[in-house]
Amino acid sequence: MMKANHVSISAVAGWVPNDVLTNYDLSKIVDTSDEWITTRTGIKERRILKDPKLATSDMAVGAINKLLSKTGVDPNEIDLIICATVTPDMLFPSTACLIANKVGAKNAFGFDLSAACSGFLFALDCGSKYISSGIYNKVIVVGADKMSSIIDYSDRQTCVLFGDGAGAVLLEPSDQPGIQDSVLKIDGSGGDYLKMVAGGSLNPASIETIKNKQHYAYQDGKTVFKFAVTKMADVSEEIMKRNHLCGEDVDWLVPHQANLRIIDATAKRMQIDSSKVMINIQKYGNTTAATIPLCLADWENKLKNGDNLILASFGGGFTWGAMYLTWRK
Ligand code: UT7
């Protein structure tokens, strides 16, 4: 029997493309306004990966290379790469394979994980188990999405919400508890409200699927909003209760960045002061699997050893969850 280890995030890095798409830019493409987008979502601008030769794996590699250079970890030491994404470069090979090759992780095992906006949280939980079980020592979890590749820029309800980006963390064994607990959920009966129906085995690409715009993300925003507000707060409350935490014990809430109103409602239910909520939705919009690690990267300098974090997400599937972790450095 192998020894069970504590696991912590030992480093984090984010990568976003340079090109900015502002609310004003969008108002020239669809019937919308900076005022509507700002008040309904909190988003001011998002990043877009414009170079057609670049894809999700390249953004993931951008984040991972930063992670490796700041930690001095040799790519050959990486045991496992889990890539959370709904916009893989292609259906196969997996994006994890492409990433491993590009970063020179010659000894790594890896796979993609599909859980939409909860992808990073699910992958983080999964990756941590490989370390707590004593199997591996260095696991990279990366959340990356090139949402602009599946967005219909004539659908004003959806195109204003999403952006491109990537964020990665290094997981390692630690002396003290880092990742402490998680509550993860799926409910496939919500699948129809947020989906991309074509390009898989049910509706392979055809002239019809293209005509019907089925290679784009579809969202029934109102319905998803209702579920997101309730479910994200439910799991956050559940994880706090079962770990005997009150709002004051939590140093940071790290919520998925889909809508500022959902984030505010979650913080309120958890009785967490808004000064302790990581929010960067105004800069990046919803980058799907990348939102949580991009928050961690933006706040890294403010995080102190022993800080208690609650990570929370909700997304297509439906998928949702919360994680309680203590920052170690
Ligand atoms: O990350 C995955 C999970 N996703 C989410 O959590 C997203 C959840 N949903 C949302 O964030 C919100 O539902 C949206 C931001 C998508 C929409 O906000 P809403 O407050 O639910 O607006 P709505 O859909 O009720 O639309 C209100 C009005 C409608 O017009 P009428 O019917 O009242 O005349 C829409 O047609 O706003 C209109 N509208 C817009 N107007 C200007 C919808 N999109 C736009 C737009 N610009 N971009």
Side-chain angles (χ1 to χ4, degrees):
M1 186 70 183
M2 277 176 276
K3 176 176 145 275
N5 292 313
H6 294 309
V7 189
S8 67
I9 294 177
S10 51
V12 55
W15 193 93
V16 290
N18 287 328
D19 279 302
V20 173
L21 182 67
T22 65
N23 291 350
Y24 176 69
D25 295 333
L26 280 166
S27 73
K28 289 186 281 181
I29 307 171
V30 287
D31 180 15
T32 191
S33 64
D34 175 48
E35 203 268 333
W36 192 95
I37 302 171
T38 306
T39 53
R40 298 288 178 130
T41 72
I43 302 165
K44 296 298 275 184
E45 57 186 45
R46 63 293 287 143
R47 301 300 181 94
I48 303 293
L49 189 64
K50 278 199 172 155
D51 186 337
K53 291 190 295 300
L54 298 179
T56 294
S57 69
D58 299 293
M59 297 194 292
V61 166
I64 294 171
N65 279 341
K66 274 196 204 172
L67 200 61
L68 297 179
S69 72
K70 73 199 270 191
T71 54
V73 168
D74 183 318
N76 289 312
E77 294 175 62
I78 303 167
D79 299 304
L80 167 63
I81 297 173
I82 309 178
C83 177
T85 188
V86 288
T87 51
D89 290 24
M90 46 193 118
L91 279 179
F92 66 91
S94 73
T95 309
C97 287
L98 304 174
I99 294 168
N101 186 45
K102 288 180 188 178
V103 301
K106 294 205 163 47
N107 301 311
F109 150 63
F111 55 90
D112 290 3
L113 190 149
S114 173
C117 298
S118 302
F120 180 79
L121 209 55
F122 286 18
L124 192 57
D125 180 73
C126 180
S128 75
K129 305 289 198 280
Y130 279 93
I131 292 183
S132 62
S133 59
I135 296 173
Y136 292 143
N137 286 314
K138 286 190 169 39
V139 171
I140 287 181
V141 176
V142 58
D145 271 301
K146 184 182 171 184
M147 293 306 291
S148 62
S149 68
I150 58 164
I151 291 299
D152 174 3
Y153 285 96
S154 67
D155 170 7
R156 70 174 182 175
Q157 241 235 58
T158 306
C159 75
V160 301
L161 304 172
F162 293 96
D164 301 338
V169 296
L170 176 65
L171 295 175
E172 290 184 277
S174 58
D175 296 337
Q176 291 173 293
I179 291 175
Q180 311 245 24
D181 192 17
S182 47
V183 179
L184 308 174
K185 314 249 185 192
I186 64 169
D187 178 358
S189 69
D192 274 343
Y193 302 113
L194 181 46
K195 62 185 177 182
M196 192 178 98
V197 295
S201 58
L202 181 62
N203 299 297
S206 68
I207 304 286
E208 278 301 299
T209 61
I210 292 171
K211 248 199 260 164
N212 296 336
K213 297 186 162 200
Q214 289 169 319
H215 295 272
Y216 291 128
Y218 161 83
Q219 174 171 248
D220 171 349
K222 249 188 167 50
T223 306
V224 177
F225 185 92
K226 277 185 211 148
F227 275 93
V229 162
T230 317
K231 300 294 186 188
M232 213 160 100
D234 282 352
V235 277
S236 304
E237 226 173 40
E238 185 181 339
I239 206 160
M240 284 170 72
K241 262 197 193 132
R242 78 182 197 190
N243 289 282
H244 313 291
L245 298 168
C246 65
E248 297 219 325
D249 301 320
V250 177
D251 296 288
W252 296 103
L253 170 63
V254 194
H256 170 55
Q257 314 277 306
N259 188 314
L260 188 55
R261 291 182 290 148
I262 299 173
I263 296 172
D264 288 344
T266 306
K268 205 168 162 199
R269 270 268 298 277
M270 295 166 73
Q271 299 185 311
I272 289 179
D273 190 79
S274 58
S275 63
K276 299 198 289 187
V277 184
M278 293 189 191
I279 295 168
N280 60 14
I281 192 171
Q282 71 283 1
K283 293 196 289 182
Y284 307 134
N286 183 350
T287 53
T288 304
T291 60
I292 290 178
L294 278 174
C295 276
L296 293 173
D298 278 0
W299 265 261
E300 192 185 11
N301 292 335
K302 287 192 180 169
L303 290 169
K304 296 191 296 291
N305 185 43
D307 275 358
N308 286 325
L309 277 60
I310 301 284
L311 280 45
S313 69
F314 184 89
F318 292 133
T319 58
W320 69 104
M323 180 182 276
Y324 161 40
L325 67 88
T326 304
W327 198 255
R328 299 292 170 201
K329 60 172 159 198

